[in-house]
Amino acid sequence: MTMSGLLGALFLLIVQGSLAQHVRVEPEVVSFPGQTVTLRCQFPNPGDTQLTQVSWIFERTDTERTNIAVFHPNFGVNYPTTSPVSGRVTFVSNPPTLDNPSIQIKDVKMTDEGRYICEYATYPSGNEQGVSSLVMLAKPKNTATTVTVSAGKTPVIVARCESSNGRPAATITWSTALNGNVSTPKKTDNPDNTVSIQSVYMLAPQPEDNGKDISCIVSHRTMAQPETFPMKLVVEYPPVVQIKGYNNNWYRGQTSAHLTCHADGNPVPTTVTWKTLSGHMPETVQVRENRLAVQQVDDTINTTFICEVKNSLGYGRDQVTVVVREQAPPNSNAGVIVGVIFACLLAILLLGGLAYCLVSHNRRQQHGYRGTGKPSGTPYDSFTRLFGSAKSSKNGTGNNGNNNTPIYRGEVVLNEKTANQGMHPGGVALLETTHTHTAEDILLSREMDEVERKKFDELEEEDERYDHFSGGGPILQLRPHDDDIDDDMESQRDGSVISRTAVYV
């Protein structure tokens, strides 16, 4: 096709569209069965165009066209009797006019759905028309049911879902955890122009599928919300039997032993029968429906018990062989043993923690007693506690202002009693020494070396000799007083004098 041909075709389409716009109609009209529907038509602003006649044509299919209403200003109204809406169609205006030739159809049916053409006969342009589509809606009737099936390996229909007599056709979906298949929906056109849709769910049913959930969901244009049908599958199967109650520990003389026959089946089992493999039921056994009670276990219970259960599809059975023991099994002391082990471990942990605390505390106490194991700057080491400071100045004073530091390091104070009585006859003030640790305390620490032990032994011997001293004061050694006190005595700032060689305690 050449460019000129394309332009010519486009021009014709534009002309036809502009002419078609002269007839104004509603593109689509929706209605339900039994209602009255109005189909509107107008030819606004005809101008120089002369309107001569208007006709309504019903077009059910592309090949089926029927006149249903005609109006001519001179010849009046005509409703063909052969139309499918004869007797139910009328013009809205009475009498009608070419300006407003709208029609009404009463008691519409599903078969009335189709295309309705409003056509004007004009001069000089010829016939002009507008098309309205009547869409009939019908709310479907929805149902869903399960199908009772027997357990097997072949896929069968286990549930059906149907949406009947709807317009347009409904949509069906399934919701389930089952591992089945959905068949292709089956569509059926009904004589009244409605549509029915049917969908089925297929599955190879097993006993465990009985009672499983499955839902059918129907959606349709006429419903605001989809309609859901929850269901449960029905799968029939013969009884599945299991005997419970025997734990391989029945012993001779045991009482109140029992067996229970559990059966699961669909339909529900109706008959329960107890048997023995030997055919003889022991006298000490009582049977009540699915329960077999043994009043007292003896050697006759050494047999095989059988339970048979029946329903309409068949029967199932289970058996258990009882072996009677000579005596009751010993009680397990596993719990007691575990408890004892746990208690022992806890005691060990507590003792270990206590020992660690004692050792740590003892080491902290020994920090001030070791002489050789501490740094040189550590005060109050054991050597200093026993013999005082070894340092002395040139003027003859040491730690205490002189070079005769007391053996037992402590605080030297005036004896209140001596202060009241005056000076010692020898000119020496009697002093009373207080100390925090005795030799006995240090020996008890068990941390002194052998040299220190010997020194303390000598001190203890001297203490014993001084204990027998008959003098009235605590002086261990006194020099005779003479005029030259500088050889032995030393003046103090408080006016008293102290012997350089005497030991004060």
Side-chain angles (χ1 to χ4, degrees), residues 16-247:
Q16 290 178 357
S18 62
L19 292 176
Q21 292 178 354
H22 288 168
V23 181
R24 185 176 298 175
V25 296
E26 292 179 308
E28 182 179 273
V29 177
V30 178
S31 181
F32 288 89
Q35 294 182 344
T36 299
V37 62
T38 299
L39 301 178
R40 295 178 174 86
C41 181
Q42 283 183 326
F43 198 109
N45 302 321
D48 295 335
T49 303
Q50 295 183 8
L51 306 178
T52 60
Q53 179 178 301
V54 61
S55 301
W56 280 94
I57 303 170
F58 174 51
E59 187 179 78
R60 179 174 294 174
T61 63
D62 294 339
T63 59
E64 184 181 356
R65 295 169 60 95
T66 305
N67 287 336
I68 60 174
V70 179
F71 170 70
H72 191 280
N74 298 327
F75 299 104
V77 176
N78 181 37
Y79 301 106
T81 58
T82 58
S83 74
V85 294
S86 177
R88 298 184 289 122
V89 60
T90 60
F91 283 97
V92 174
S93 305
N94 190 17
T97 65
L98 294 177
D99 295 334
N100 184 19
S102 301
I103 62 173
Q104 285 184 341
I105 303 176
K106 299 179 180 179
D107 191 20
V108 293
K109 302 176 181 180
M110 296 303 301
T111 55
D112 294 339
E113 184 179 83
R115 287 160 38 104
Y116 289 82
I117 303 170
C118 179
E119 186 177 81
Y120 276 90
T122 68
Y123 179 84
S125 59
N127 294 342
E128 295 186 15
Q129 62 184 21
V131 179
S132 292
S133 295
L134 176 61
V135 177
M136 296 299 299
L137 299 179
K139 186 176 181 179
K141 181 179 179 182
N142 305 318
T143 58
T145 59
T146 57
V147 180
T148 301
V149 296
S150 298
K153 298 181 180 180
T154 303
V156 294
I157 298 174
V158 296
R160 285 191 176 94
C161 189
E162 186 173 0
S163 178
S164 303
N165 303 110
R167 187 74 183 182
T171 302
I172 298 177
T173 58
W174 295 88
S175 175
T176 182
L178 296 169
N179 189 22
N181 297 314
V182 179
S183 66
T184 302
K186 182 181 178 181
K187 181 179 179 181
T188 303
D189 293 326
N190 302 314
D192 60 355
N193 208 29
T194 60
V195 181
S196 297
I197 298 293
Q198 185 183 67
S199 178
V200 296
Y201 194 89
M202 303 189 69
L203 176 72
Q206 301 299 316
E208 56 269 18
D209 293 329
N210 183 49
K212 292 290 184 65
D213 294 328
I214 185 171
S215 297
C216 169
I217 304 171
V218 181
S219 302
H220 193 263
R221 181 177 178 179
T222 61
M223 300 185 301
Q225 297 292 335
E227 188 173 5
T228 302
F229 297 89
M231 299 172 287
K232 292 185 180 295
L233 291 188
V234 181
V235 180
E236 294 183 339
Y237 53 95
V240 179
V241 183
Q242 184 180 13
I243 297 176
K244 297 182 179 180
Y246 178 66
N247 53 4

Side-chain angles (χ1 to χ4, degrees), residues 182-327:
V182 179
S183 66
T184 302
K186 182 181 178 181
K187 181 179 179 181
T188 303
D189 293 326
N190 302 314
D192 60 355
N193 208 29
T194 60
V195 181
S196 297
I197 298 293
Q198 185 183 67
S199 178
V200 296
Y201 194 89
M202 303 189 69
L203 176 72
Q206 301 299 316
E208 56 269 18
D209 293 329
N210 183 49
K212 292 290 184 65
D213 294 328
I214 185 171
S215 297
C216 169
I217 304 171
V218 181
S219 302
H220 193 263
R221 181 177 178 179
T222 61
M223 300 185 301
Q225 297 292 335
E227 188 173 5
T228 302
F229 297 89
M231 299 172 287
K232 292 185 180 295
L233 291 188
V234 181
V235 180
E236 294 183 339
Y237 53 95
V240 179
V241 183
Q242 184 180 13
I243 297 176
K244 297 182 179 180
Y246 178 66
N247 53 4
N248 200 29
N249 62 353
W250 287 13
Y251 57 91
R252 188 175 298 152
Q254 179 182 354
T255 58
S256 301
H258 66 274
L259 298 175
T260 304
C261 184
H262 293 270
D264 178 27
N266 187 29
V268 178
T270 56
T271 304
V272 179
T273 304
W274 286 95
K275 300 179 181 179
T276 61
L277 195 61
S278 62
H280 174 71
M281 186 67 67
E283 296 180 356
T284 59
V285 172
Q286 292 183 348
V287 176
R288 293 182 179 178
E289 296 181 353
N290 68 328
R291 182 181 176 90
L292 185 148
V294 181
Q295 296 178 346
Q296 186 173 3
V297 178
D298 54 21
D299 291 338
T300 61
I301 307 302
N302 280 310
T303 185
T304 298
F305 292 94
I306 302 172
C307 177
E308 290 185 354
V309 181
K310 294 182 179 181
N311 67 2
S312 59
L313 295 182
Y315 76 96
R317 59 179 290 172
D318 189 23
Q319 64 183 37
V320 61
T321 300
V322 177
V323 178
V324 178
R325 299 179 179 272
E326 293 293 332
Q327 57 185 1

Side-chain angles (χ1 to χ4, degrees), residues 424-428 469 475-490 497-502 504:
H424 187 270
V428 179
F469 180 69
I475 301 176
L476 297 181
Q477 180 180 356
L478 294 175
R479 279 175 169 259
H481 178 69
D482 52 22
D483 296 333
D484 191 8
I485 64 174
D486 293 336
D487 296 338
D488 184 35
M489 308 301 290
E490 181 177 0
V497 291
I498 298 177
S499 174
R500 295 181 178 177
T501 59
Y504 295 83

